[in-house]
């Protein structure tokens, strides 16, 4: 099966967000939320209404800032990686077979056997195929027809 596509910056950023949503980041956010709530409850004199309101507002804005900051940093880092990587911003041709995934010959690619990959994730738009916990290849579903998607899923389920 041959697939040719060019990944846009927006698609790459969506794939990175999908990677983080299904990773450990939600756990870190939950721990931060729990710690912030505990600190607010432990340091609040509940007989003083003004202090209760101030602590609730401080906790809310700290959490909002943390969530916004991590989202902005993720988008910035994804954009930086995309613009610096010639592989991500150029057209890619993949040949997927039982031997593995072969990148375009013009880009100097070679066949990466299935043993190179550790796992995969998919959503309604992308397949993320991981070479290690922090590096993945993005294959958009928009470039494949239904038969190609079934074939790719068969390889992924068989080898990963």
């Amino acid at each position: 099966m041959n697939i040719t596509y060019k990944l846009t910056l927006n698609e790459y950023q969506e794939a990175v967000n999908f990677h983080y949503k299904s990773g450990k980041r939600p756990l870190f956010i939950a721990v931060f939320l729990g710690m912030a709530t505990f600190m607010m409850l432990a340091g609040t004199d509940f007989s003083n209404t003004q202090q209760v309101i101030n602590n609730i507002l401080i906790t809310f804005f700290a959490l909002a800032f943390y969530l916004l900051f991590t989202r902005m940093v993720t988008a910035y880092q994804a954009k930086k990686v995309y613009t610096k990587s010639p592989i991500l911003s150029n057209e890619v041709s993949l040949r997927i077979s039982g031997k593995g995934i072969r990148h375009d010959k013009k880009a100097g690619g070679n066949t990466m056997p299935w043993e190179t990959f550790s796992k995969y994730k998919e959503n309604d738009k992308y397949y993320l195929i991981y070479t290690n916990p922090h590096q993945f290849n993005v294959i958009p579903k928009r470039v494949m027809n239904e038969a190609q998607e079934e074939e790719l899923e068969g390889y992924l389920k068989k080898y990963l």
Side-chain angles (χ1 to χ4, degrees), residues 1-3 94-101 113-115 117 119-120 127 129 139 144 147-160:
M1 166 177 59
N2 293 318
I3 302 172
L94 300 178
R95 169 129 177 83
I96 301 172
S97 68
K99 294 180 181 178
I101 299 177
W114 288 110
E115 296 81 35
F117 304 103
K119 65 178 181 174
Y120 76 97
Y127 288 99
I129 304 175
I139 301 176
M144 295 184 281
Q148 288 176 322
E149 279 189 46
E150 288 176 8
E151 184 178 351
L152 178 59
E153 286 180 23
Y155 287 132
L156 294 174
K157 289 176 182 173
K158 182 177 180 181
Y159 295 110
L160 303 180

Side-chain angles (χ1 to χ4, degrees), residues 46-89:
F46 288 100
S47 63
N48 184 349
T49 308
Q50 183 63 40
Q51 185 181 13
V52 171
I53 293 171
N54 286 345
N55 285 349
I56 289 172
L57 288 175
I58 288 169
T59 303
F60 171 76
F61 285 113
L63 292 172
F65 174 76
Y66 176 77
L67 294 172
L68 181 64
F69 181 73
T70 56
R71 184 78 144 184
M72 288 172 45
V73 167
T74 300
Y76 172 75
Q77 288 174 335
K79 183 177 181 180
K80 187 176 175 182
V81 167
Y82 181 84
T83 55
K84 286 188 175 188
S85 173
I87 295 173
L88 291 173
S89 57

